[in-house]
Amino acid sequence: MFGVAELFVQLGLITEQQLHEAYQKQQEGVPIPVEHLLVQLGHISEKDRVRVMGYHWGVPFVDFAETPPKPEMASLIPSELAKRHHAVPVAQENGKLMVALADPLDIFAIDQIRQHTQKEIEVLIATEEDIRNALRQLYRDSSAVDNTVKELIRDLGESTIQVAPNEEDDLSAEELRDIADDAPVVRLANMIISQAIVDGASDIHIEPTRENLKVRYRVDGVMLDVMVLPKRVQASLTSRFKILANMDIAEKRVPQDNRISATIDGKEYDFRVSTLPCVYGEKIVMRVLDKSSVRVGLDKLGFLPDTLEKLNEVVSRSYGIILVTGPTGSGKSTTLYSILAKLNTGLVNIITAEDPVEYELAGINQVQVNPKAGLTFASALRAMLRQDPDIIMVGEMRDRETATIAIEAALTGHLVLSTLHTNDASSAPPRLTEMGVEPFMIASSLIGVLAQRLVRTLCPRCKEPYTPDPAEFRRYGFELPSNWHNDTVYRPKGCEACKNTGYKGRTGIHELLVMSDPVRDLILQHSAAYAIQTVAVQNGLRLLKEDALQKVLLGRTSLEEIVRVIYSG
């Protein structure tokens, strides 16, 4: 008979070594159950943990990402009761009501739901996050935003502070603060933020136009229109977000940026807020930073098995430089944080220099770069080297000085992680040379370059199988493998679960260049990126487009999606 911790090994989710690492942490005095430690260490996801706990207790697991509850289920359990017990009605069959709980052993909750519904209850288990999101979706009043906006406009009309559509510039700071503290605008701001979290948005855009105020979310890398609000709410809503971010609400002529920290449904979030003066008023963009999202193991980032094996070998080196490259929004920070989480064993001193510090990591010393105060990446790096580090992470190689100091650190026995803006892995060495770093230093210190992009994954609920014409792939420059014989691939369709986009979530596509002697020789000869790539491919490099094609053939994404991402950057 297996204990619950050993079940993770038996089911192939972790290795014996990873379980031993968790037990060791527990013995060192970390007072939490082993299964939670496995999540913290990045060895399993929270969904893995909950699924296995359900298996251990004999309770079926439900994944609301794949099977969201139907709207008509909301009538079976009152909103107040469902939210009090974190209970989601899932289905009704043969007189039984299936209810998902985060804690399926909560007898009190089950009894209360049974008494209210007068039905036999069959319990399912789901993650706390899925439960929270499902409750928000299920019991969301679609008219709530409309009612709040109407109330806000009525209050503005009754107020002694009269705000004409394009006259908010005339209001004083005190008047702006008064209308921003009004109850309806507070509710509206909270709705915009909470709905963004439910929808899995990475950014919230509040965009002023001539006639109205648009609210848009970036979900899975794509912009979606969410709300169109009357122009009259612009001054109060803009001021509300600026107050939350502790900005100067009277200053509308220059950009501002700051942060908001909030706990929503028991989960910690940071919002990086930026304002930009535009023709029709200030545009606000809020980057949503989910503090739990960085606790992602490398094996959850979409690496193909052989690429992950090579990357694990590279990051286990004791010195040298590892670079992660790609455009903005390609997931570089998540990859770096996942590498740091893997290396953060408690036996090494890890220091980072970031601009800004997006996520706080326990056990890691993080430095916020502040160029205005003279704390640049280069000066932070110099100071860090006097702090006896084993591993250093530099947010970005921006200039020759930073790159040179980082490379010297790697040559003197430190493991250095950083990012660089190049389109592919083979372009990284020539880019460093262009920045003024000596080729012999690059060849001696660089141990690996990981280029990556993010592609949307097909919605598991509605993705549609089809047999494509190989010419369709060749048209976009993708060569199908020789052993491929008109097998089935998938394309997006669209359903309620994915908001009719056909996609839900994102995964990485990767290109890992591991340094070899032939590549080092080319670097020393000042060779161009294409020459480095040619030799690297001969030595087994899988290009970004080849990795992307594999993700299509595995059914994770579509041809249209990889074409969109590969050819747009």
Side-chain angles (χ1 to χ4, degrees):
M1 182 68 182
F2 288 92
V4 66
E6 284 73 20
L7 268 178
F8 293 98
V9 178
Q10 184 201 13
L11 295 170
L13 293 169
I14 59 168
T15 63
E16 291 278 4
Q17 185 180 351
Q18 288 170 328
L19 180 59
H20 176 70
E21 184 186 345
Y23 278 135
Q24 208 166 19
K25 283 270 185 191
Q26 206 177 40
Q27 287 165 8
E28 288 169 6
V30 183
I32 61 174
V34 170
E35 59 269 20
H36 288 279
L37 270 173
L38 289 168
V39 176
Q40 281 194 10
L41 293 166
H43 298 327
I44 59 170
S45 68
E46 177 64 9
K47 278 190 178 173
D48 289 336
R49 183 192 73 79
V50 173
R51 185 182 280 110
V52 172
M53 294 307 295
Y55 179 81
H56 177 65
W57 291 324
V59 177
F61 173 78
V62 59
D63 185 346
F64 287 129
E66 294 182 10
T67 53
K70 294 183 173 66
E72 58 266 25
M73 291 291 107
S75 63
L76 298 176
I77 302 178
S79 169
E80 188 274 330
L81 184 65
K83 289 176 179 176
R84 190 194 323 149
H85 294 300
H86 296 277
V88 178
V90 176
Q92 195 173 201
E93 289 178 10
N94 304 322
K96 280 186 182 178
L97 178 60
M98 289 187 251
V99 177
L101 296 169
D103 178 8
L105 306 183
D106 187 346
I107 303 299
F108 179 70
I110 297 166
D111 279 346
Q112 283 225 318
I113 296 167
R114 183 186 291 118
Q115 284 173 21
H116 181 87
T117 60
Q118 296 296 302
K119 294 182 186 298
E120 190 180 338
I121 305 299
E122 184 175 330
V123 180
L124 310 175
I125 189 171
T127 66
E128 282 191 26
E129 183 178 9
D130 272 5
I131 294 273
R132 283 195 299 266
N133 289 340
L135 287 172
R136 277 198 293 249
Q137 290 277 22
L138 202 56
Y139 295 99
R140 179 170 63 190
D141 181 357
S142 59
S143 62
V145 172
D146 291 341
N147 291 338
T148 301
V149 171
K150 285 174 186 171
E151 190 180 340
L152 176 54
I153 290 172
R154 189 179 66 244
D155 284 7
L156 288 172
E158 293 172 356
S159 171
T160 54
I161 305 165
Q162 295 299 312
V163 189
N166 291 302
E167 292 178 3
E168 58 267 22
D169 285 347
D170 299 332
L171 297 176
S172 68
E174 290 74 19
E175 289 171 329
L176 286 169
R177 194 171 292 277
D178 284 344
I179 60 174
D181 286 339
D182 200 28
V185 77
V186 171
R187 281 206 307 277
L188 182 59
N190 291 345
M191 283 176 187
I192 289 170
I193 289 174
S194 61
Q195 189 54 45
I197 289 166
V198 171
D199 291 347
S202 60
D203 301 86
I204 303 167
H205 291 241
I206 315 292
E207 300 180 348
T209 68
R210 185 193 293 272
E211 297 85 13
N212 50 45
L213 188 67
K214 280 187 178 179
V215 179
R216 305 170 79 203
Y217 296 158
R218 186 178 294 279
V219 179
D220 295 335
V222 177
M223 295 294 290
L224 300 174
D225 290 343
V226 180
M227 300 176 200
V228 178
L229 302 173
K231 190 73 175 173
R232 292 203 62 189
V233 308
Q234 181 174 319
S236 54
L237 189 61
T238 300
S239 299
R240 179 64 194 164
F241 284 123
K242 289 173 78 173
I243 287 170
L244 287 171
N246 199 24
M247 293 177 175
D248 182 352
I249 59 172
E251 180 55 79
K252 308 177 187 70
R253 297 163 299 174
V254 296
Q256 299 184 63
D257 60 86
N258 213 330
R259 299 169 81 94
I260 300 170
S261 291
T263 301
I264 299 169
D265 286 339
K267 201 169 178 189
E268 290 184 356
Y269 294 89
D270 275 348
F271 300 86
R272 204 166 74 216
V273 186
S274 165
T275 70
L276 182 69
C278 295
V279 176
Y280 300 113
E282 289 177 285
K283 172 172 176 173
I284 295 180
V285 175
M286 290 180 277
R287 166 65 55 89
V288 182
L289 303 171
D290 177 357
K291 291 187 174 182
S292 66
S293 69
V294 293
R295 294 189 214 117
V296 180
L298 284 173
D299 56 340
K300 304 294 187 296
L301 298 181
F303 288 98
L304 293 174
D306 55 341
T307 306
L308 181 60
E309 188 179 340
K310 286 179 188 173
L311 182 61
N312 278 324
E313 192 275 321
V314 168
V315 302
S316 65
R317 309 269 184 93
S318 57
Y319 63 91
I321 278 198
I322 300 167
L323 294 175
V324 181
T325 79
T328 302
S330 59
K332 299 188 296 294
S333 293
T334 300
T335 299
L336 282 176
Y337 282 128
S338 297
I339 292 172
L340 288 176
K342 176 182 173 63
L343 298 173
N344 187 22
T345 60
L347 303 174
V348 287
N349 178 20
I350 302 175
I351 311 179
T352 74
E354 304 171 60
D355 183 20
V357 174
E358 291 192 352
Y359 301 98
E360 295 172 12
L361 298 174
I364 292 177
N365 308 283
Q366 295 172 273
V367 176
Q368 169 77 56
V369 169
N370 186 351
K372 289 178 184 173
L375 184 59
T376 62
F377 277 120
S379 59
L381 196 45
R382 280 199 194 90
M384 285 155 61
L385 289 170
R386 295 191 288 272
Q387 293 282 315
D388 185 32
D390 297 291
I391 298 164
I392 294 168
M393 193 267 271
V394 186
E396 189 181 339
M397 295 277 200
R398 288 185 180 171
D399 51 50
R400 177 182 179 276
E401 187 181 14
T402 306
T404 302
I405 298 168
I407 284 172
E408 286 172 352
L411 291 171
T412 53
H414 304 89
L415 184 65
V416 181
L417 309 173
S418 191
T419 67
L420 197 65
H421 284 283
T422 63
N423 286 331
D424 54 36
S426 304
S427 299
R431 176 77 186 101
L432 290 172
T433 305
E434 286 168 15
M435 288 167 66
V437 182
E438 292 292 341
F440 77 88
M441 294 179 72
I442 301 168
S444 303
S445 61
L446 196 59
I447 57 175
V449 184
L450 176 70
Q452 67 179 55
R453 301 285 190 280
L454 290 176
V455 295
R456 290 179 295 168
T457 49
L458 288 163
C459 173
R461 195 178 180 199
C462 67
K463 65 180 183 180
E464 188 174 65
Y466 76 108
T467 303
D469 182 350
E472 187 182 350
F473 284 86
R474 285 195 292 272
R475 189 182 311 130
Y476 297 108
F478 294 100
E479 281 300 323
L480 289 165
S482 56
N483 60 352
W484 192 84
H485 300 294
N486 289 340
D487 294 335
T488 298
V489 295
Y490 293 85
R491 59 188 169 201
K493 184 179 180 185
C495 67
E496 188 183 318
C498 61
K499 294 185 166 48
N500 291 312
T501 61
Y503 297 95
K504 198 165 180 65
R506 288 192 287 178
T507 191
I509 55 174
H510 307 94
E511 177 179 301
L512 178 60
L513 172 64
V514 179
M515 285 297 113
S516 61
D517 289 338
V519 170
R520 289 191 184 95
D521 289 342
L522 290 172
I523 294 171
L524 292 170
Q525 295 164 26
H526 293 259
S527 296
Y530 74 86
I532 293 173
Q533 186 179 88
T534 302
V535 169
V537 167
Q538 291 168 0
N539 289 342
L541 172 69
R542 181 189 289 116
L543 299 176
L544 269 173
K545 62 189 296 185
E546 293 166 353
D547 192 85
L549 178 60
Q550 287 298 317
K551 304 287 164 66
V552 173
L553 300 181
L554 288 168
R556 296 181 193 172
T557 190
S558 68
L559 176 62
E560 300 95 317
E561 177 65 3
I562 64 169
V563 167
R564 181 185 72 85
V565 172
I566 293 287
Y567 291 110
S568 67

